[in-house]
Amino acid sequence: MLTGKLTRLRALEPSDAETLARWFDDPVVSRVMVGYPVSLAQVVKRCRERPRNTYGSLVLCIESLASGRALGVIALTGAEPESGWAELSIYLGDAEFRGGGYGTDAVRVLCRYGFDQMRLHGVHLLVAASNAGARHVYSKVGFVEEGRQRQRFHQDGEWHDSIMMSLLAGELGS
Ligand SMILES: CC(C)(COP(=O)(O)OP(=O)(O)OC[C@H]1O[C@@H](n2cnc3c(N)ncnc32)[C@H](O)[C@@H]1OP(=O)(O)O)[C@@H](O)C(=O)NCCC(=O)NCCS
Protein backbone atom coordinates (compact mmCIF):
# COMPACT_ATOMS: atom_id res chain seq x y z
CA MET A 1 0.00 0.00 0.00
CA LEU A 2 2.83 2.37 0.81
CA THR A 3 5.18 1.20 -1.88
CA GLY A 4 6.13 3.18 -4.97
CA LYS A 5 8.50 2.60 -7.90
CA LEU A 6 11.66 3.51 -5.94
CA THR A 7 10.61 3.81 -2.32
CA ARG A 8 8.73 2.11 0.48
CA LEU A 9 7.31 4.07 3.41
CA ARG A 10 7.32 2.44 6.85
CA ALA A 11 6.95 3.44 10.52
CA LEU A 12 10.05 4.83 12.22
CA GLU A 13 11.74 2.34 14.58
CA PRO A 14 13.82 3.02 17.72
CA SER A 15 16.74 1.54 15.75
CA ASP A 16 16.51 4.49 13.30
CA ALA A 17 17.67 6.91 16.05
CA GLU A 18 21.38 7.01 15.14
CA THR A 19 20.60 7.49 11.47
CA LEU A 20 18.16 10.33 12.27
CA ALA A 21 20.69 12.02 14.59
CA ARG A 22 23.28 11.89 11.79
CA TRP A 23 20.82 13.45 9.35
CA PHE A 24 19.93 16.26 11.80
CA ASP A 25 23.61 17.29 11.72
CA ASP A 26 23.37 17.98 7.98
CA PRO A 27 22.70 21.71 7.44
CA VAL A 28 20.48 20.89 4.43
CA VAL A 29 18.19 18.97 6.80
CA SER A 30 18.44 21.22 9.88
CA ARG A 31 17.57 24.18 7.65
CA VAL A 32 14.16 22.70 6.79
CA MET A 33 13.52 21.30 10.29
CA VAL A 34 13.99 24.75 11.88
CA GLY A 35 14.89 23.85 15.46
CA TYR A 36 17.65 23.86 18.02
CA PRO A 37 20.37 21.19 17.88
CA VAL A 38 19.38 17.87 19.49
CA SER A 39 21.66 15.29 21.11
CA LEU A 40 21.76 11.61 20.16
CA ALA A 41 20.29 10.82 23.61
CA GLN A 42 17.32 13.09 22.87
CA VAL A 43 16.76 11.53 19.45
CA VAL A 44 16.94 8.02 20.97
CA LYS A 45 14.40 9.03 23.64
CA ARG A 46 12.12 10.62 21.06
CA CYS A 47 12.27 7.51 18.84
CA ARG A 48 11.60 5.18 21.76
CA GLU A 49 8.64 7.22 22.99
CA ARG A 50 7.25 8.09 19.58
CA PRO A 51 3.45 7.70 19.66
CA ARG A 52 1.88 5.39 17.13
CA ASN A 53 0.93 6.86 13.77
CA THR A 54 -2.60 8.20 13.58
CA TYR A 55 -4.87 9.92 11.09
CA GLY A 56 -3.76 13.29 12.45
CA SER A 57 -0.03 12.53 12.61
CA LEU A 58 1.57 10.16 10.15
CA VAL A 59 5.38 10.20 10.16
CA LEU A 60 7.15 7.62 8.02
CA CYS A 61 10.66 6.56 7.14
CA ILE A 62 11.46 6.51 3.41
CA GLU A 63 13.39 3.41 2.39
CA SER A 64 15.01 2.56 -0.90
CA LEU A 65 12.99 -0.27 -2.41
CA ALA A 66 16.11 -1.73 -4.01
CA SER A 67 18.45 -1.73 -1.00
CA GLY A 68 16.14 -1.34 2.01
CA ARG A 69 18.33 1.55 3.17
CA ALA A 70 16.64 4.36 5.14
CA LEU A 71 17.04 7.61 3.20
CA GLY A 72 14.64 10.15 4.66
CA VAL A 73 11.44 11.04 6.44
CA ILE A 74 8.05 12.08 5.09
CA ALA A 75 4.97 13.15 7.03
CA LEU A 76 1.31 14.04 6.69
CA THR A 77 0.23 16.01 9.74
CA GLY A 78 -2.77 17.96 10.95
CA ALA A 79 -5.29 15.85 9.02
CA GLU A 80 -8.87 16.24 10.24
CA PRO A 81 -11.87 14.41 8.79
CA GLU A 82 -13.86 17.65 9.19
CA SER A 83 -11.55 19.67 6.94
CA GLY A 84 -10.25 16.91 4.66
CA TRP A 85 -6.83 18.58 4.54
CA ALA A 86 -3.35 17.63 5.79
CA GLU A 87 0.12 19.16 5.54
CA LEU A 88 2.98 17.34 3.82
CA SER A 89 6.65 17.63 4.74
CA ILE A 90 9.69 15.69 3.54
CA TYR A 91 13.45 15.55 3.72
CA LEU A 92 15.96 13.10 2.33
CA GLY A 93 18.58 12.84 5.06
CA ASP A 94 20.96 10.72 3.02
CA ALA A 95 22.58 13.13 0.54
CA GLU A 96 23.61 10.22 -1.71
CA PHE A 97 19.97 9.70 -2.64
CA ARG A 98 19.09 13.33 -3.40
CA GLY A 99 18.42 13.94 -7.07
CA GLY A 100 17.69 10.28 -7.82
CA GLY A 101 13.90 10.51 -8.07
CA TYR A 102 13.29 9.17 -4.53
CA GLY A 103 11.69 12.36 -3.20
CA THR A 104 9.25 12.58 -6.13
CA ASP A 105 8.32 8.93 -5.68
CA ALA A 106 7.79 9.22 -1.90
CA VAL A 107 5.63 12.35 -2.26
CA ARG A 108 3.48 10.55 -4.84
CA VAL A 109 3.12 7.46 -2.64
CA LEU A 110 2.08 9.40 0.46
CA CYS A 111 -0.32 11.70 -1.41
CA ARG A 112 -1.90 8.66 -3.07
CA TYR A 113 -2.34 7.11 0.38
CA GLY A 114 -3.81 10.36 1.69
CA PHE A 115 -6.38 10.55 -1.08
CA ASP A 116 -7.26 6.85 -1.41
CA GLN A 117 -7.06 5.58 2.18
CA MET A 118 -7.51 8.69 4.31
CA ARG A 119 -10.08 10.18 1.92
CA LEU A 120 -8.41 13.57 2.06
CA HIS A 121 -9.66 16.33 -0.19
CA GLY A 122 -6.33 18.13 -0.38
CA VAL A 123 -2.73 18.26 0.75
CA HIS A 124 -0.92 21.53 1.38
CA LEU A 125 2.67 22.46 2.15
CA LEU A 126 5.07 25.32 2.62
CA VAL A 127 8.37 25.50 0.76
CA ALA A 128 11.14 28.09 0.81
CA ALA A 129 10.98 30.28 -2.29
CA SER A 130 14.74 29.69 -2.68
CA ASN A 131 14.32 25.87 -2.70
CA ALA A 132 14.00 25.53 -6.48
CA GLY A 133 14.59 21.76 -6.45
CA ALA A 134 11.78 21.04 -3.97
CA ARG A 135 9.40 23.42 -5.77
CA HIS A 136 10.13 21.61 -9.03
CA VAL A 137 9.40 18.23 -7.41
CA TYR A 138 6.09 19.39 -5.94
CA SER A 139 4.98 20.96 -9.25
CA LYS A 140 5.91 17.77 -11.11
CA VAL A 141 3.66 15.77 -8.78
CA GLY A 142 0.81 18.21 -9.42
CA PHE A 143 1.02 20.75 -6.57
CA VAL A 144 -0.05 24.27 -7.52
CA GLU A 145 1.42 27.46 -6.07
CA GLU A 146 -1.33 29.40 -4.33
CA GLY A 147 0.36 32.10 -2.34
CA ARG A 148 3.46 33.58 -0.84
CA GLN A 149 4.23 34.37 2.76
CA ARG A 150 6.70 37.23 2.90
CA GLN A 151 10.00 36.91 4.76
CA ARG A 152 8.90 33.92 6.84
CA PHE A 153 12.29 32.51 7.78
CA HIS A 154 15.82 33.66 8.34
CA GLN A 155 18.72 31.86 6.72
CA ASP A 156 22.33 32.76 6.01
CA GLY A 157 21.78 36.35 7.15
CA GLU A 158 18.74 36.97 4.96
CA TRP A 159 14.97 36.76 5.23
CA HIS A 160 13.28 34.44 2.73
CA ASP A 161 9.70 34.07 1.50
CA SER A 162 7.71 30.84 1.77
CA ILE A 163 5.53 29.54 -1.04
CA MET A 164 2.20 27.90 -0.21
CA MET A 165 1.33 24.98 -2.48
CA SER A 166 -1.58 22.56 -2.58
CA LEU A 167 -2.74 19.45 -4.39
CA LEU A 168 -6.39 18.43 -4.66
CA ALA A 169 -7.60 14.84 -4.89
CA GLY A 170 -7.71 14.12 -8.63
CA GLU A 171 -4.74 16.36 -9.44
CA LEU A 172 -2.04 13.83 -8.50
CA GLY A 173 0.11 13.04 -11.54
CA SER A 174 1.29 9.46 -12.14
C1 LIG B 1 13.55 18.30 -1.93
C2 LIG B 1 13.76 16.78 -1.96
C3 LIG B 1 12.71 16.10 -1.09
C4 LIG B 1 13.56 16.32 -3.43
O1 LIG B 1 13.79 14.93 -3.49
P1 LIG B 1 14.85 14.36 -4.57
O2 LIG B 1 14.78 12.89 -4.56
O3 LIG B 1 16.18 14.99 -4.30
O4 LIG B 1 14.26 14.94 -5.91
P2 LIG B 1 14.03 14.13 -7.28
O5 LIG B 1 15.31 13.47 -7.65
O6 LIG B 1 12.82 13.30 -7.14
O7 LIG B 1 13.69 15.32 -8.29
C5 LIG B 1 14.55 16.43 -8.40
C6 LIG B 1 14.03 17.27 -9.57
O8 LIG B 1 14.30 18.64 -9.28
C7 LIG B 1 15.12 19.16 -10.30
N1 LIG B 1 15.99 20.14 -9.68
C8 LIG B 1 17.00 19.92 -8.82
N2 LIG B 1 17.54 21.11 -8.47
C9 LIG B 1 16.85 22.06 -9.10
C10 LIG B 1 16.93 23.47 -9.15
N3 LIG B 1 17.84 24.13 -8.44
N4 LIG B 1 16.03 24.14 -9.92
C11 LIG B 1 15.08 23.49 -10.61
N5 LIG B 1 14.96 22.13 -10.63
C12 LIG B 1 15.83 21.44 -9.88
C13 LIG B 1 15.84 17.95 -10.87
O9 LIG B 1 16.29 18.22 -12.18
C14 LIG B 1 14.72 16.93 -10.84
O10 LIG B 1 13.79 17.18 -11.87
P3 LIG B 1 13.42 16.11 -13.02
O11 LIG B 1 13.05 14.84 -12.32
O12 LIG B 1 12.28 16.74 -13.73
O13 LIG B 1 14.67 15.98 -13.81
C15 LIG B 1 15.20 16.38 -1.48
O14 LIG B 1 16.18 16.86 -2.39
C16 LIG B 1 15.51 16.91 -0.09
O15 LIG B 1 15.09 16.31 0.88
N6 LIG B 1 16.22 18.03 0.01
C17 LIG B 1 16.63 18.56 1.32
C18 LIG B 1 15.44 18.90 2.25
C19 LIG B 1 14.36 19.71 1.56
O16 LIG B 1 14.63 20.66 0.84
N7 LIG B 1 13.08 19.31 1.83
C20 LIG B 1 11.93 19.99 1.28
C21 LIG B 1 11.52 21.07 2.19
S1 LIG B 1 10.03 21.87 1.61
Side-chain angles (χ1 to χ4, degrees):
M1 205 166 14
L2 282 163
T3 301
K5 293 183 178 138
L6 296 172
T7 63
R8 180 174 32 231
L9 311 184
R10 61 155 173 87
L12 281 162
E13 298 290 348
S15 56
D16 291 316
E18 279 193 23
T19 307
L20 288 175
R22 202 172 53 245
W23 293 345
F24 294 161
D25 276 341
D26 180 343
V28 173
V29 172
S30 57
R31 200 171 279 167
V32 298
M33 307 266 295
V34 190
Y36 292 104
V38 283
S39 68
L40 173 59
Q42 286 159 339
V43 180
V44 167
K45 185 168 184 288
R46 209 193 285 168
C47 279
R48 208 183 299 127
E49 294 171 2
R50 178 173 287 285
R52 71 184 182 90
N53 280 315
T54 59
Y55 188 81
S57 178
L58 181 56
V59 183
L60 299 168
C61 180
I62 308 168
E63 266 184 10
S64 152
L65 202 52
S67 66
R69 217 163 102 188
L71 53 103
V73 173
I74 189 164
L76 265 185
T77 50
E80 296 170 328
E82 292 85 356
S83 71
W85 281 85
E87 179 168 10
L88 182 126
S89 56
I90 180 173
Y91 67 83
L92 300 192
D94 193 326
E96 253 184 61
F97 286 92
R98 290 184 204 132
Y102 296 92
T104 304
D105 191 61
V107 170
R108 280 205 181 106
V109 170
L110 193 55
C111 289
R112 174 58 57 217
Y113 183 80
F115 294 134
D116 292 353
Q117 306 298 320
M118 296 169 70
R119 313 273 169 105
L120 290 173
H121 179 64
V123 173
H124 64 98
L125 59 83
L126 277 177
V127 56
S130 53
N131 195 343
R135 287 172 68 180
H136 176 82
V137 165
Y138 299 138
S139 300
K140 199 167 53 162
V141 168
F143 279 82
V144 173
E145 294 195 3
E146 58 184 15
R148 176 180 282 259
Q149 298 179 324
R150 296 179 306 150
Q151 303 196 5
R152 273 326 256 270
F153 67 100
H154 196 255
Q155 185 185 300
D156 303 329
E158 274 183 61
W159 285 97
H160 296 267
D161 294 350
S162 286
I163 304 294
M164 300 150 72
M165 301 185 82
S166 71
L167 176 75
L168 300 177
E171 291 179 341
L172 181 60
S174 53

